[in-house]
Amino acid sequence: MIDSNKTPELFIVGAGPGDVELITVKGHKVLQQADVVLYDNLANKELLTITRDDCEKIYVGKQPYGKHTTQDEIHELIKHYAFTKGKVVRLKGGDPFIFGRGFEEILFARQHGIKTHFIPGISSMQAAGFEDIPLTHRNISESIWVVTGTKKDGTLSADLRLAMQSNATVVIYMGMKKLNDIAATYIEAGKGSTLAAIIQHASLPNRKIVRAQIQDLPGVAAAAQITHPAIIIIGAVVGLGL
């Protein structure tokens, strides 16, 4: 039943890279006020303890390459709870506007007359700093290319070949399933010796990291049992802290 006493609102909130203390102060405050939280697989569940006791908490996660809540189902949940409960927080790991589909949800909500708000989060690529990997460094890397490892059709993004032509740090999200293809692309271009790293669970106590030349990275990752979700960083900055 629609509650006419409550304003339907959607807050797209970045949960950060894992460590609960890395959520923004504004995100923390909004969680305290939430009537409903729709939370992702990559959002730290400890953040749910910030909410009120009467806040409804609903898991809408997407296991990589496994069972998941469809985007259409998430949209319908946003609409339902915004009009029946009021303040809906969509809690997403990292930053919702970096391969997080956050703006799709903003647009959907606006189309249905729901007031929208965006609260950014620290992205997992920024958490690379915990491993002494700066994304830029003077005279080493003058820019950053942020690329999706797998497009909607399942293919590797063609942008990777463009990124390889510069000295930019290349950051690949959702790339673990395409790791062999990524390494082969660098090898074919004569860049197989480029340094690279994979970081899993960045900012958490159970995080894992491997560093190797990109041509060796698939084997090194397999030996270390690093799987998805993880972030791949390629470029000279990977070796600066060694």
PDB file of all heavy atoms in Angstrom, residues 31 33-38 51-52 54-58 77 81-82 84-90:
ATOM      1  N   LEU A  31      22.337   5.932   5.801  1.00  0.00           N
ATOM      2  CA  LEU A  31      21.999   4.584   6.255  1.00  0.00           C
ATOM      3  C   LEU A  31      21.241   4.632   7.588  1.00  0.00           C
ATOM      4  O   LEU A  31      20.338   3.817   7.823  1.00  0.00           O
ATOM      5  CB  LEU A  31      23.258   3.736   6.404  1.00  0.00           C
ATOM      6  CG  LEU A  31      23.831   3.149   5.112  1.00  0.00           C
ATOM      7  CD1 LEU A  31      25.173   2.478   5.381  1.00  0.00           C
ATOM      8  CD2 LEU A  31      22.864   2.143   4.488  1.00  0.00           C
ATOM      9  N   GLN A  33      19.142   6.777   8.431  1.00  0.00           N
ATOM     10  CA  GLN A  33      17.802   7.302   8.186  1.00  0.00           C
ATOM     11  C   GLN A  33      16.961   6.399   7.281  1.00  0.00           C
ATOM     12  O   GLN A  33      15.771   6.629   7.096  1.00  0.00           O
ATOM     13  CB  GLN A  33      17.913   8.684   7.534  1.00  0.00           C
ATOM     14  CG  GLN A  33      18.669   9.700   8.364  1.00  0.00           C
ATOM     15  CD  GLN A  33      19.105  10.915   7.552  1.00  0.00           C
ATOM     16  OE1 GLN A  33      18.735  11.052   6.375  1.00  0.00           O
ATOM     17  NE2 GLN A  33      19.888  11.790   8.153  1.00  0.00           N
ATOM     18  N   ALA A  34      17.550   5.353   6.730  1.00  0.00           N
ATOM     19  CA  ALA A  34      16.895   4.541   5.703  1.00  0.00           C
ATOM     20  C   ALA A  34      15.684   3.781   6.230  1.00  0.00           C
ATOM     21  O   ALA A  34      15.690   3.261   7.350  1.00  0.00           O
ATOM     22  CB  ALA A  34      17.902   3.558   5.106  1.00  0.00           C
ATOM     23  N   ASP A  35      14.654   3.710   5.392  1.00  0.00           N
ATOM     24  CA  ASP A  35      13.506   2.849   5.674  1.00  0.00           C
ATOM     25  C   ASP A  35      13.723   1.452   5.091  1.00  0.00           C
ATOM     26  O   ASP A  35      13.258   0.453   5.648  1.00  0.00           O
ATOM     27  CB  ASP A  35      12.230   3.454   5.079  1.00  0.00           C
ATOM     28  CG  ASP A  35      11.870   4.787   5.718  1.00  0.00           C
ATOM     29  OD1 ASP A  35      11.800   4.838   6.967  1.00  0.00           O
ATOM     30  OD2 ASP A  35      11.671   5.766   4.982  1.00  0.00           O
ATOM     31  N   VAL A  36      14.417   1.406   3.961  1.00  0.00           N
ATOM     32  CA  VAL A  36      14.729   0.143   3.285  1.00  0.00           C
ATOM     33  C   VAL A  36      16.137   0.246   2.719  1.00  0.00           C
ATOM     34  O   VAL A  36      16.526   1.297   2.192  1.00  0.00           O
ATOM     35  CB  VAL A  36      13.739  -0.152   2.138  1.00  0.00           C
ATOM     36  CG1 VAL A  36      14.109  -1.447   1.411  1.00  0.00           C
ATOM     37  CG2 VAL A  36      12.316  -0.249   2.663  1.00  0.00           C
ATOM     38  N   VAL A  37      16.908  -0.839   2.808  1.00  0.00           N
ATOM     39  CA  VAL A  37      18.220  -0.909   2.160  1.00  0.00           C
ATOM     40  C   VAL A  37      18.233  -2.101   1.208  1.00  0.00           C
ATOM     41  O   VAL A  37      17.962  -3.232   1.615  1.00  0.00           O
ATOM     42  CB  VAL A  37      19.369  -1.062   3.182  1.00  0.00           C
ATOM     43  CG1 VAL A  37      20.708  -1.216   2.455  1.00  0.00           C
ATOM     44  CG2 VAL A  37      19.424   0.139   4.113  1.00  0.00           C
ATOM     45  N   LEU A  38      18.511  -1.818  -0.053  1.00  0.00           N
ATOM     46  CA  LEU A  38      18.725  -2.867  -1.053  1.00  0.00           C
ATOM     47  C   LEU A  38      20.231  -2.951  -1.249  1.00  0.00           C
ATOM     48  O   LEU A  38      20.844  -2.018  -1.777  1.00  0.00           O
ATOM     49  CB  LEU A  38      18.032  -2.514  -2.368  1.00  0.00           C
ATOM     50  CG  LEU A  38      16.527  -2.226  -2.296  1.00  0.00           C
ATOM     51  CD1 LEU A  38      16.003  -1.802  -3.669  1.00  0.00           C
ATOM     52  CD2 LEU A  38      15.755  -3.426  -1.784  1.00  0.00           C
ATOM     53  N   THR A  51      21.926   0.808  10.334  1.00  0.00           N
ATOM     54  CA  THR A  51      20.524   1.154  10.115  1.00  0.00           C
ATOM     55  C   THR A  51      19.693   1.004  11.388  1.00  0.00           C
ATOM     56  O   THR A  51      20.090   0.353  12.348  1.00  0.00           O
ATOM     57  CB  THR A  51      19.914   0.259   9.027  1.00  0.00           C
ATOM     58  OG1 THR A  51      19.960  -1.105   9.459  1.00  0.00           O
ATOM     59  CG2 THR A  51      20.697   0.386   7.724  1.00  0.00           C
ATOM     60  N   ARG A  52      18.500   1.586  11.354  1.00  0.00           N
ATOM     61  CA  ARG A  52      17.547   1.443  12.458  1.00  0.00           C
ATOM     62  C   ARG A  52      17.058  -0.011  12.544  1.00  0.00           C
ATOM     63  O   ARG A  52      17.083  -0.751  11.557  1.00  0.00           O
ATOM     64  CB  ARG A  52      16.328   2.352  12.252  1.00  0.00           C
ATOM     65  CG  ARG A  52      16.641   3.826  12.073  1.00  0.00           C
ATOM     66  CD  ARG A  52      15.340   4.638  12.153  1.00  0.00           C
ATOM     67  NE  ARG A  52      14.254   4.047  11.363  1.00  0.00           N
ATOM     68  CZ  ARG A  52      13.914   4.425  10.141  1.00  0.00           C
ATOM     69  NH1 ARG A  52      14.591   5.393   9.534  1.00  0.00           N
ATOM     70  NH2 ARG A  52      12.911   3.854   9.507  1.00  0.00           N
ATOM     71  N   ASP A  54      14.058  -1.005  12.672  1.00  0.00           N
ATOM     72  CA  ASP A  54      12.869  -1.222  11.851  1.00  0.00           C
ATOM     73  C   ASP A  54      13.135  -1.059  10.352  1.00  0.00           C
ATOM     74  O   ASP A  54      12.219  -1.128   9.537  1.00  0.00           O
ATOM     75  CB  ASP A  54      11.735  -0.284  12.279  1.00  0.00           C
ATOM     76  CG  ASP A  54      12.087   1.200  12.060  1.00  0.00           C
ATOM     77  OD1 ASP A  54      13.285   1.513  11.898  1.00  0.00           O
ATOM     78  OD2 ASP A  54      11.160   2.030  12.067  1.00  0.00           O
ATOM     79  N   CYS A  55      14.394  -0.851   9.991  1.00  0.00           N
ATOM     80  CA  CYS A  55      14.758  -0.727   8.578  1.00  0.00           C
ATOM     81  C   CYS A  55      14.728  -2.113   7.929  1.00  0.00           C
ATOM     82  O   CYS A  55      15.278  -3.077   8.465  1.00  0.00           O
ATOM     83  CB  CYS A  55      16.148  -0.111   8.438  1.00  0.00           C
ATOM     84  SG  CYS A  55      16.785  -0.097   6.740  1.00  0.00           S
ATOM     85  N   GLU A  56      14.091  -2.210   6.774  1.00  0.00           N
ATOM     86  CA  GLU A  56      14.027  -3.485   6.056  1.00  0.00           C
ATOM     87  C   GLU A  56      15.259  -3.623   5.166  1.00  0.00           C
ATOM     88  O   GLU A  56      15.562  -2.723   4.376  1.00  0.00           O
ATOM     89  CB  GLU A  56      12.751  -3.550   5.218  1.00  0.00           C
ATOM     90  CG  GLU A  56      12.447  -4.927   4.689  1.00  0.00           C
ATOM     91  CD  GLU A  56      11.026  -5.072   4.177  1.00  0.00           C
ATOM     92  OE1 GLU A  56      10.210  -4.144   4.405  1.00  0.00           O
ATOM     93  OE2 GLU A  56      10.735  -6.105   3.551  1.00  0.00           O
ATOM     94  N   LYS A  57      15.946  -4.734   5.297  1.00  0.00           N
ATOM     95  CA  LYS A  57      17.205  -4.951   4.570  1.00  0.00           C
ATOM     96  C   LYS A  57      17.042  -6.128   3.607  1.00  0.00           C
ATOM     97  O   LYS A  57      16.728  -7.237   4.041  1.00  0.00           O
ATOM     98  CB  LYS A  57      18.346  -5.186   5.562  1.00  0.00           C
ATOM     99  CG  LYS A  57      18.621  -3.961   6.435  1.00  0.00           C
ATOM    100  CD  LYS A  57      19.532  -4.262   7.594  1.00  0.00           C
ATOM    101  CE  LYS A  57      18.790  -4.803   8.791  1.00  0.00           C
ATOM    102  NZ  LYS A  57      17.966  -3.800   9.482  1.00  0.00           N
ATOM    103  N   ILE A  58      17.256  -5.865   2.327  1.00  0.00           N
ATOM    104  CA  ILE A  58      16.972  -6.860   1.292  1.00  0.00           C
ATOM    105  C   ILE A  58      18.200  -7.059   0.413  1.00  0.00           C
ATOM    106  O   ILE A  58      18.733  -6.102  -0.162  1.00  0.00           O
ATOM    107  CB  ILE A  58      15.782  -6.408   0.418  1.00  0.00           C
ATOM    108  CG1 ILE A  58      14.549  -6.203   1.293  1.00  0.00           C
ATOM    109  CG2 ILE A  58      15.496  -7.432  -0.683  1.00  0.00           C
ATOM    110  CD1 ILE A  58      13.452  -5.422   0.630  1.00  0.00           C
ATOM    111  N   LEU A  77      11.821  -3.432  -7.322  1.00  0.00           N
ATOM    112  CA  LEU A  77      11.931  -3.323  -5.867  1.00  0.00           C
ATOM    113  C   LEU A  77      12.116  -1.866  -5.442  1.00  0.00           C
ATOM    114  O   LEU A  77      11.550  -1.428  -4.433  1.00  0.00           O
ATOM    115  CB  LEU A  77      13.102  -4.170  -5.361  1.00  0.00           C
ATOM    116  CG  LEU A  77      12.900  -5.688  -5.403  1.00  0.00           C
ATOM    117  CD1 LEU A  77      14.221  -6.403  -5.125  1.00  0.00           C
ATOM    118  CD2 LEU A  77      11.838  -6.118  -4.397  1.00  0.00           C
ATOM    119  N   TYR A  81       9.290  -0.205  -2.966  1.00  0.00           N
ATOM    120  CA  TYR A  81       9.614   0.239  -1.617  1.00  0.00           C
ATOM    121  C   TYR A  81       9.659   1.758  -1.491  1.00  0.00           C
ATOM    122  O   TYR A  81       9.381   2.295  -0.413  1.00  0.00           O
ATOM    123  CB  TYR A  81      10.926  -0.388  -1.156  1.00  0.00           C
ATOM    124  CG  TYR A  81      10.761  -1.836  -0.774  1.00  0.00           C
ATOM    125  CD1 TYR A  81      11.268  -2.849  -1.566  1.00  0.00           C
ATOM    126  CD2 TYR A  81      10.061  -2.190   0.376  1.00  0.00           C
ATOM    127  CE1 TYR A  81      11.088  -4.186  -1.226  1.00  0.00           C
ATOM    128  CE2 TYR A  81       9.876  -3.521   0.725  1.00  0.00           C
ATOM    129  CZ  TYR A  81      10.389  -4.512  -0.078  1.00  0.00           C
ATOM    130  OH  TYR A  81      10.196  -5.822   0.264  1.00  0.00           O
ATOM    131  N   ALA A  82      10.001   2.457  -2.550  1.00  0.00           N
ATOM    132  CA  ALA A  82       9.989   3.921  -2.480  1.00  0.00           C
ATOM    133  C   ALA A  82       8.576   4.437  -2.217  1.00  0.00           C
ATOM    134  O   ALA A  82       8.375   5.366  -1.426  1.00  0.00           O
ATOM    135  CB  ALA A  82      10.541   4.518  -3.765  1.00  0.00           C
ATOM    136  N   THR A  84       5.992   2.556  -0.963  1.00  0.00           N
ATOM    137  CA  THR A  84       5.333   1.960   0.207  1.00  0.00           C
ATOM    138  C   THR A  84       6.057   2.254   1.523  1.00  0.00           C
ATOM    139  O   THR A  84       5.440   2.235   2.591  1.00  0.00           O
ATOM    140  CB  THR A  84       5.216   0.429   0.050  1.00  0.00           C
ATOM    141  OG1 THR A  84       6.518  -0.140  -0.107  1.00  0.00           O
ATOM    142  CG2 THR A  84       4.351   0.088  -1.154  1.00  0.00           C
ATOM    143  N   LYS A  85       7.364   2.536   1.438  1.00  0.00           N
ATOM    144  CA  LYS A  85       8.148   2.751   2.661  1.00  0.00           C
ATOM    145  C   LYS A  85       8.725   4.160   2.770  1.00  0.00           C
ATOM    146  O   LYS A  85       8.861   4.701   3.861  1.00  0.00           O
ATOM    147  CB  LYS A  85       9.289   1.730   2.731  1.00  0.00           C
ATOM    148  CG  LYS A  85       8.835   0.288   2.853  1.00  0.00           C
ATOM    149  CD  LYS A  85       8.307  -0.033   4.245  1.00  0.00           C
ATOM    150  CE  LYS A  85       8.038  -1.513   4.391  1.00  0.00           C
ATOM    151  NZ  LYS A  85       7.620  -1.883   5.753  1.00  0.00           N
ATOM    152  N   GLY A  86       9.142   4.731   1.626  1.00  0.00           N
ATOM    153  CA  GLY A  86       9.701   6.082   1.653  1.00  0.00           C
ATOM    154  C   GLY A  86      11.140   6.147   1.199  1.00  0.00           C
ATOM    155  O   GLY A  86      11.437   6.168   0.003  1.00  0.00           O
ATOM    156  N   LYS A  87      12.054   6.138   2.142  1.00  0.00           N
ATOM    157  CA  LYS A  87      13.470   6.376   1.858  1.00  0.00           C
ATOM    158  C   LYS A  87      14.179   5.048   1.595  1.00  0.00           C
ATOM    159  O   LYS A  87      14.417   4.257   2.510  1.00  0.00           O
ATOM    160  CB  LYS A  87      14.121   7.113   3.024  1.00  0.00           C
ATOM    161  CG  LYS A  87      15.551   7.549   2.769  1.00  0.00           C
ATOM    162  CD  LYS A  87      16.059   8.497   3.853  1.00  0.00           C
ATOM    163  CE  LYS A  87      15.325   9.814   3.803  1.00  0.00           C
ATOM    164  NZ  LYS A  87      15.880  10.799   4.771  1.00  0.00           N
ATOM    165  N   VAL A  88      14.540   4.813   0.323  1.00  0.00           N
ATOM    166  CA  VAL A  88      15.222   3.592  -0.086  1.00  0.00           C
ATOM    167  C   VAL A  88      16.696   3.899  -0.334  1.00  0.00           C
ATOM    168  O   VAL A  88      17.028   4.814  -1.091  1.00  0.00           O
ATOM    169  CB  VAL A  88      14.603   3.000  -1.370  1.00  0.00           C
ATOM    170  CG1 VAL A  88      15.390   1.779  -1.846  1.00  0.00           C
ATOM    171  CG2 VAL A  88      13.151   2.635  -1.129  1.00  0.00           C
ATOM    172  N   VAL A  89      17.576   3.122   0.311  1.00  0.00           N
ATOM    173  CA  VAL A  89      19.008   3.238   0.058  1.00  0.00           C
ATOM    174  C   VAL A  89      19.434   2.048  -0.785  1.00  0.00           C
ATOM    175  O   VAL A  89      19.201   0.897  -0.419  1.00  0.00           O
ATOM    176  CB  VAL A  89      19.819   3.267   1.372  1.00  0.00           C
ATOM    177  CG1 VAL A  89      21.318   3.131   1.070  1.00  0.00           C
ATOM    178  CG2 VAL A  89      19.560   4.565   2.117  1.00  0.00           C
ATOM    179  N   ARG A  90      20.033   2.343  -1.904  1.00  0.00           N
ATOM    180  CA  ARG A  90      20.609   1.297  -2.773  1.00  0.00           C
ATOM    181  C   ARG A  90      22.100   1.281  -2.482  1.00  0.00           C
ATOM    182  O   ARG A  90      22.855   2.154  -2.935  1.00  0.00           O
ATOM    183  CB  ARG A  90      20.327   1.647  -4.236  1.00  0.00           C
ATOM    184  CG  ARG A  90      20.835   0.617  -5.219  1.00  0.00           C
ATOM    185  CD  ARG A  90      20.018  -0.665  -5.147  1.00  0.00           C
ATOM    186  NE  ARG A  90      20.458  -1.529  -6.235  1.00  0.00           N
ATOM    187  CZ  ARG A  90      21.396  -2.458  -6.112  1.00  0.00           C
ATOM    188  NH1 ARG A  90      21.994  -2.640  -4.947  1.00  0.00           N
ATOM    189  NH2 ARG A  90      21.733  -3.199  -7.140  1.00  0.00           N
TER     190      ARG A  90
END
